[in-house]
Amino acid sequence: MAHAEGQQHPISLYLKIWGLLFILSTLSYLVDYFHFTGYFRWTMIIVLMLLKAGLIVSIFMHMAWERLAMIYAILVPPLCLLVLVGLMFAEANYVFFTRGLFLGQ
Amino acid sequence: MSTGQNPSTWQAVVQDWSSDRDAFKGVPWGKAMMWIFLLSDTFIFTCFLIGYMSVRMSTTATWPNPSEVFALTIGGRSIPLILIAIMTFVLITSSGTMAMAVNYGYRRDRVRCALLMLTTAALGATFVGMQAFEWSKLIGEGVRPWGNPMGAAQFGASFFMITGFHGMHVSVGVIYLCTVAFKVLRGDYEKRGNYQIVEIAGLYWHFVDLVWVFIFAFFYLW
């Protein structure tokens, strides 16, 4: 809230988030460095990505202190994109299947 | 608070949305508009990433291993993805300095605010420089939007499209931040008594960092 004087938070909060983002990025780099594979790799990539995105949006972009009406207006529409991800996932699988059929793989 | 309600309750959401105007009470227009622009940008970037997912899943050719493609040989040893990792740290650091610039802006510490913004812009320019190095290296190795020697042609198309669009956002952001920093130093916002524009510019900058988090995960790590 605190709209009278804008977003006022102690600098130490930003420094802590900065440090945390550094640690999370290092961890996601290590996932590749140590050549993890399979479901462990994919889970780690997604979890670390979502943690970083959450920290940036909620603290750096001050979303945690906005009105709920605005939070919903901004965060709900991108969920529609998940439908598109699902549709394109099915479509890509189908294209791959027909390519295999016609290219004789 | 004109509704007299805690803004984090469902009733407050309904009240905000059912009023004839000012859906986001107390949220400055500039800030709401920047958020809506960023929402539209989210859709564009996500469509690029979904397009990349589709071509990567549907190609019958082998997808190049990003871990090897983006490795650098340092001291005779090949280190996977090292340039990309450094670029990530540069961008995260720039997000940190930007967040602090917003804070000093609201504290009316003009010089610190402008200096932190210029640091942010310098880190952004460093990022773009490293990206130019990365592009030159790959172009030198024969990667093109229509093909590459390591495998699936779609790799080149996705790479130049996604990183290019992101790099353009960073470049535009550097110019934007320099402009606002200059106006901060000149005292434009001091006269107006309102440093909101620094926060709005910050929103754009953090968004660029946010998009990179997704590109890093899906394009470089996956």
Side-chain angles (χ1 to χ4, degrees):
Chain A
M1 290 167 31
H3 285 300
E5 268 301 323
Q7 297 285 344
Q8 288 282 16
H9 310 286
I11 293 289
S12 65
L13 173 69
Y14 295 121
L15 290 173
K16 274 177 207 147
I17 299 301
W18 185 357
L20 210 51
L21 285 170
F22 242 84
I23 295 167
L24 291 172
S25 293
T26 309
L27 287 178
S28 43
Y29 176 65
L30 289 180
V31 169
D32 188 71
Y33 191 81
F34 291 120
H35 304 296
F36 289 120
T37 49
Y39 285 111
F40 177 73
R41 181 190 181 95
W42 297 330
T43 315
M44 286 309 286
I45 291 174
I46 297 276
V47 169
L48 291 168
M49 176 189 83
L50 290 179
L51 281 175
K52 281 194 279 181
L55 284 176
I56 293 172
V57 173
S58 59
I59 311 293
F60 279 174
M61 298 174 95
H62 309 130
M63 195 57 125
W65 299 281
E66 294 293 354
R67 283 187 84 82
L68 201 55
M70 191 162 97
I71 296 179
Y72 283 133
I74 302 301
L75 295 186
V76 172
L79 292 180
C80 305
L81 288 163
L82 290 177
V83 178
L84 186 58
V85 173
L87 289 174
M88 289 303 108
F89 186 85
E91 178 68 14
N93 262 331
Y94 176 71
V95 171
F96 181 73
F97 167 72
T98 49
R99 275 181 180 163
L101 222 55
F102 288 103
L103 301 174
Q105 305 243 341
Chain B
M1 203 71 47
S2 47
T3 56
Q5 263 173 333
N6 184 343
S8 57
T9 63
W10 263 107
Q11 288 93 326
V13 174
V14 174
Q15 286 236 344
D16 278 8
W17 280 100
S18 58
S19 48
D20 260 355
R21 50 190 212 93
D22 262 1
F24 314 116
K25 285 189 193 69
V27 180
W29 272 111
K31 195 161 143 184
M33 289 301 114
M34 178 52 91
W35 267 113
I36 288 167
F37 164 70
L38 295 179
L39 182 63
S40 74
D41 235 14
T42 306
F43 273 70
I44 298 177
F45 271 112
T46 316
C47 286
F48 277 5
L49 286 172
I50 292 174
Y52 149 70
M53 176 193 79
S54 306
V55 295
R56 183 166 173 173
M57 280 179 70
S58 61
T59 178
T60 47
T62 354
W63 196 261
N65 182 0
S67 184
E68 287 162 20
V69 174
F70 300 104
L72 279 191
T73 309
I74 298 169
R77 209 167 134 254
S78 174
I79 307 175
L81 274 184
I82 186 70
L83 180 66
I84 309 303
I86 298 171
M87 282 164 79
T88 304
F89 289 129
V90 168
L91 212 55
I92 283 177
T93 306
S94 78
S95 237
T97 51
M98 187 65 226
M100 295 197 289
V102 173
N103 217 286
Y104 281 115
Y106 281 133
R107 290 176 196 199
R108 301 179 170 241
D109 191 335
R110 252 161 60 198
V111 176
R112 274 214 185 111
C113 173
L115 282 180
L116 279 166
M117 285 187 85
L118 291 175
T119 312
T120 310
L123 287 165
T126 310
F127 179 90
V128 178
M130 292 169 90
Q131 196 168 52
F133 171 79
E134 184 199 15
W135 275 45
S136 324
K137 184 171 167 284
L138 259 70
I139 292 170
E141 286 166 4
V143 180
R144 297 287 181 275
W146 53 86
N148 66 77
M150 305 92 133
Q154 291 89 335
F155 175 81
S158 314
F159 172 75
F160 289 116
M161 188 177 68
I162 295 172
T163 63
F165 199 60
H166 179 262
M168 188 197 76
H169 274 76
V170 180
S171 311
V172 169
V174 169
I175 298 167
Y176 184 20
L177 290 183
C178 288
T179 314
V180 176
F182 171 70
K183 283 163 83 75
V184 167
L185 269 185
R186 202 171 57 179
D188 284 21
Y189 308 124
E190 194 62 45
K191 263 182 252 160
R192 212 179 296 171
N194 188 343
Y195 277 87
Q196 233 143 42
I197 288 174
V198 180
E199 191 189 353
I200 294 168
L203 283 181
Y204 178 86
W205 193 260
H206 296 309
F207 176 76
V208 168
D209 186 26
L210 179 68
V211 169
W212 184 254
V213 167
F214 286 87
I215 295 176
F216 181 58
F218 289 129
F219 196 85
Y220 293 99
L221 291 179
W222 203 263

